[in-house]
Amino acid sequence: MTSQNQYVFIYLHPESESMAASARPPIVPLGLVKEIDKAMEAMQKKRDADARKHLDKAARISPTNPDVAYLQGMLELDHHNLP
């Protein structure tokens, strides 16, 4: 049996560290969270039409939200609606 040491070096860049500390997390609209929760509940209960309705509404509230896009993709994948 042999062993080997492996070293990992982490270099911190002061410019990027200071920018990251000053960046604020994005604010998520409350209506978006409610629609995502309703969509997830509908998906769990296999009520796909309701889930699609809530996800469409969530997408209108925040078109670039990755969680909405992921859930829409999961819903389409469940129906085998692949491109």
Side-chain angles (χ1 to χ4, degrees), residues 17-77:
E17 291 298 317
S18 63
M19 287 177 29
S22 66
R24 293 184 176 167
I27 297 173
V28 179
L30 184 59
L32 177 65
V33 174
K34 287 181 181 179
E35 291 301 322
I36 289 174
D37 288 344
K38 289 177 185 177
M40 288 179 60
E41 182 180 339
M43 288 173 73
Q44 289 172 347
K45 294 179 179 178
K46 301 295 182 190
R47 295 189 332 241
D48 295 336
D50 290 339
R52 190 176 314 277
K53 177 183 75 168
H54 291 296
L55 288 174
D56 289 344
K57 188 172 181 181
R60 285 192 300 274
I61 293 171
S62 180
T64 59
N65 186 286
D67 295 326
V68 175
Y70 174 78
L71 290 173
Q72 286 176 324
M74 292 303 295
L75 190 61
E76 295 303 319
L77 182 63

Side-chain angles (χ1 to χ4, degrees), residues 4-23:
Q4 180 180 4
N5 292 334
Q6 183 159 357
Y7 299 96
V8 177
F9 298 95
I10 300 174
Y11 297 100
L12 300 178
H13 300 281
E15 300 85 23
S16 63
E17 291 298 317
S18 63
M19 287 177 29
S22 66

